Amino acid sequence: MTLPDAVVPCAQLVDKGDPDRFRTVMAAPMSARLRLFPLYAFNIEVARAPWVTQEAMIAEMRLQWWRDALEEVADGRSVRKHEVTTPLAGVLSPAMARCLDEAVAARRWDIYKDPFEDEAHLLGYLNQTSGHLMWTAAQVLGAPQGQEAAVRSVAVAGGLASFLRAVPQLEASKRIPLVDGTHDGIIDLARRVKDAVVRPSLPASAKPALWPAIGAVRLLNDVTRDPGSVADGRLAPPVTPWRLGLSVLSGRVVL
């Protein structure tokens, strides 16, 4: 069974821009791929918007374009034609569109070089970006409402794992990614986020939404043992083929 023509550009975008997530989607049933590819393609477009230009106003305009598109979905209006917005509109409910609007707004931090105000600001950013994305993915795959907090705890761990891997690039771009970049500060952050993870109780249909966080807890454990690996860029991608395969075959997400 092949993807519908409308979803193929989204799949191609995810394959090129986020190969880890692409592998997790391809390991999922076709019914899940139809919903996840537009959602993850949207995430790529939004995440890269602040980085494709040095002009803050242009970056702001790019993010606003996506916020306007989500407002159209939320209001039940015709959605502007685009290879991502068209299939995305068929996936999202109005509430999901409003949730993702907050994720787009959070990406404004990526435009500028101001540090996070404090750790709560950093964790809020991870929740609004990774958390909103994963919870929306879980919802479109049938997750029950009562599992939102648990799903978000997994998402924040996965988001932090990705964020820590990106620290060298962020610092090279003159950003200040960490509130406390000392070894003790990094250890404390990684430990508290991993200790806060609660495994969600999801139906099998919704578990692929968690797969992008595969290996996140293990990576955060590694960081607590070797915090210097963050600045040195020695953190390996956590979503390895065998962890993904084990998660698929066992039905238990290998965090």
Side-chain angles (χ1 to χ4, degrees):
M1 185 176 179
T2 58
L3 288 170
D5 290 344
V7 180
V8 169
C10 294
Q12 293 172 336
L13 184 59
V14 178
D15 184 17
K16 182 178 179 180
D18 195 343
D20 283 345
R21 274 201 173 90
F22 180 80
R23 284 192 289 271
T24 69
V25 179
M26 290 304 294
M30 179 60 71
S31 59
R33 296 179 202 174
L34 300 179
R35 293 169 172 81
L36 294 178
F37 273 135
L39 184 59
Y40 292 163
F42 156 81
N43 183 60
I44 290 171
E45 292 280 19
V46 170
R48 72 183 183 184
W51 300 96
V52 295
T53 177
Q54 296 294 318
E55 297 294 332
M57 183 172 293
I58 294 175
E60 291 272 15
M61 290 172 63
R62 287 177 179 271
L63 290 181
Q64 187 60 49
W65 190 94
W66 287 101
R67 298 192 71 181
D68 291 343
L70 289 170
E71 184 178 13
E72 292 163 358
V73 176
D75 292 346
R77 292 182 277 137
S78 296
V79 180
R80 59 196 64 196
K81 293 186 182 297
H82 184 276
E83 64 182 10
V84 175
T85 58
T86 300
L88 182 67
V91 170
L92 300 180
S93 69
M96 293 174 192
R98 295 186 186 99
C99 180
L100 291 180
D101 175 69
E102 293 182 4
V104 180
R107 289 289 181 183
R108 294 185 65 249
W109 182 86
D110 297 335
I111 297 175
Y112 304 101
K113 297 180 180 179
D114 298 329
F116 289 108
E117 296 171 5
D118 50 31
E119 192 170 285
H121 187 194
L122 168 58
L123 294 177
Y125 169 88
L126 294 176
N127 183 47
Q128 287 184 307
T129 52
S130 299
H132 284 8
L133 179 66
M134 184 174 286
W135 175 235
T136 302
Q139 285 182 286
V140 301
L141 298 183
Q145 288 294 325
Q147 294 300 305
E148 179 176 359
V151 170
R152 287 184 177 276
S153 74
V154 172
V156 169
L160 180 59
S162 297
F163 192 80
L164 291 177
R165 291 184 62 226
V167 162
Q169 293 94 325
L170 291 168
E171 290 180 337
S173 300
K174 307 302 181 184
R175 266 59 170 190
I176 305 174
L178 297 172
V179 177
D180 183 353
T182 66
H183 285 188
D184 287 344
I186 291 171
I187 290 171
D188 183 62
L189 175 63
R191 180 176 290 134
R192 285 191 290 107
V193 168
K194 74 179 180 64
D195 288 348
V197 170
V198 177
R199 286 187 175 274
S201 178
L202 299 181
S205 64
K207 287 183 179 179
L210 305 179
W211 291 348
I214 285 172
V217 170
R218 182 182 180 88
L219 182 144
L220 296 179
N221 273 324
D222 291 342
V223 168
T224 63
R225 290 189 291 267
D226 181 14
S229 61
V230 174
D232 295 345
R234 290 186 279 109
L235 296 174
V239 186
T240 61
W242 77 265
R243 287 179 190 144
L244 176 58
L246 183 58
S247 296
V248 174
L249 293 174
S250 69
R252 183 177 182 274
V253 181
V254 181
L255 297 175

